[in-house]
Amino acid sequence: MKMPNASITIGGQTYELPAVTTEQYLEYCDVREPIAERELYTRKDFYAMADQLVKLYGNQFTRAELLGAEGLKPGEVIVQFSMIETVLLNQVNDSITGMKENFTAGT
């Protein structure tokens, strides 16, 4: 299952975020948690965010492509990295809505 509204466009090519596995999410958390504790990002943090995006998107593009002239601007990299949580929360909300629809009042 693909995640809704999750894509990155690099050099005119749009890449869709594939389903995120639990293992991938845990690795994402390992990268996100120390970064979230800082007010300013270091070069290492920024590369870690970019590398994690490459992995989450299934290596459909490289870090060089993501950060290159045809890639994302710095703010876009940060937004895309942060957006992973929102995408997963939307998936949870959609699943809950689907479950609720299976139950009707009075049955």
Side-chain angles (χ1 to χ4, degrees), residues 62-107:
T62 65
R63 181 210 285 176
E65 291 169 326
L66 180 68
L67 302 180
E70 298 288 318
L72 303 183
K73 294 179 175 131
E76 293 171 328
V77 171
I78 294 166
V79 167
Q80 287 288 334
F81 180 78
S82 300
M83 185 186 75
I84 297 300
E85 289 293 330
T86 302
V87 169
L88 294 175
L89 287 174
N90 285 341
Q91 181 185 16
V92 170
N93 288 336
D94 290 346
S95 293
I96 291 171
T97 299
M99 288 178 8
K100 285 181 180 178
E101 290 172 357
N102 287 328
F103 297 95
T104 58
T107 59

Side-chain angles (χ1 to χ4, degrees), residues 1-99:
M1 170 197 310
K2 290 188 180 179
M3 304 295 172
N5 303 322
S7 63
I8 289 179
T9 301
I10 299 171
Q13 175 72 37
T14 299
Y15 303 95
E16 298 294 324
L17 180 68
V20 175
T21 66
T22 301
E23 183 178 8
Q24 289 172 315
Y25 178 70
L26 293 173
E27 186 176 331
Y28 166 82
C29 288
D30 289 342
V31 171
R32 185 202 65 216
E33 288 170 5
I35 290 173
E37 294 175 358
R38 300 190 234 306
E39 287 188 34
L40 298 174
Y41 302 126
T42 66
R43 175 183 287 258
K44 183 179 175 182
D45 293 337
F46 197 79
Y47 283 145
M49 285 188 274
D51 290 341
Q52 196 60 45
L53 285 170
V54 170
K55 288 180 185 178
L56 288 168
Y57 274 84
N59 296 303
Q60 297 178 72
F61 48 85
T62 65
R63 181 210 285 176
E65 291 169 326
L66 180 68
L67 302 180
E70 298 288 318
L72 303 183
K73 294 179 175 131
E76 293 171 328
V77 171
I78 294 166
V79 167
Q80 287 288 334
F81 180 78
S82 300
M83 185 186 75
I84 297 300
E85 289 293 330
T86 302
V87 169
L88 294 175
L89 287 174
N90 285 341
Q91 181 185 16
V92 170
N93 288 336
D94 290 346
S95 293
I96 291 171
T97 299
M99 288 178 8

